[in-house]
Amino acid sequence: MDDLPALSRTQILVAMALTAILWLILARIWLYTPFAGGLLPLEWNGWAFSIGLGLCGGITGLSGLLYAVWPSYRQASDTYLTFVLTPLAWPDLLWIGLLPGLSEELLFRGVLLPSLGLNWAGIIGTSICFGILHAGTRQHWPYALWATIVGGLFAYSAVATHNLLLPIVAHTCTNWLAAILWKIQQRLPNAP
């Protein structure tokens, strides 16, 4: 991302939409392979929704702490967020939460997790895949490591509840909150 030219608002939105469609197609195709373990259900549950919001708050708080104390993480996060969020308008942030929150959770926790096993092996395996997905250049390893940990939290929540609702809510809310906080920070005087 350091060497990539800046993208326009339209290019970012189209890239997010195409990526979401790709993840949804891959998830659907995966269901027809011999490796498929089924699809984890998505069911409305007020408790899972509430816990998802709480998980969002915890992840956002921990990310903020890492941002404050770990310069490599701060640089990796700023590089990624600057690239993705700078061209976007405030209403576009809706898509930052929904597109990855739904498509990535369907692929990683909905389809891949049951295939690897609704156990620690599946949690660890999908977390590593999720972290790799968020890896950029070698300098962005702190961001990929954090994504691996967050992916583990999402996977554990899916296994614990046997429901995709909790990780979808947590992922969507985390993306929204991170984007909103970053946009606000950029408007403050003396922001990095």
Side-chain angles (χ1 to χ4, degrees), residues 77-152:
S77 295
D78 280 340
T79 300
Y80 174 77
L81 294 172
T82 299
F83 182 78
V84 173
L85 297 178
T86 297
L88 298 182
W90 283 92
D92 300 333
L93 299 186
L94 172 72
W95 303 114
I96 288 288
L98 286 177
L99 292 175
L102 293 171
S103 64
E104 290 177 9
E105 290 310 312
L106 179 63
L107 177 63
F108 288 99
R109 267 58 74 175
V111 174
L112 189 56
L113 181 61
S115 298
L116 296 178
L118 296 173
N119 52 34
W120 284 108
I123 291 169
I124 292 168
T126 58
S127 301
I128 291 170
C129 291
F130 190 71
I132 290 169
L133 170 73
H134 290 82
T137 65
R138 195 175 311 149
Q139 292 80 17
H140 298 118
W141 70 266
Y143 191 78
L145 176 63
W146 176 244
T148 302
I149 293 166
V150 170

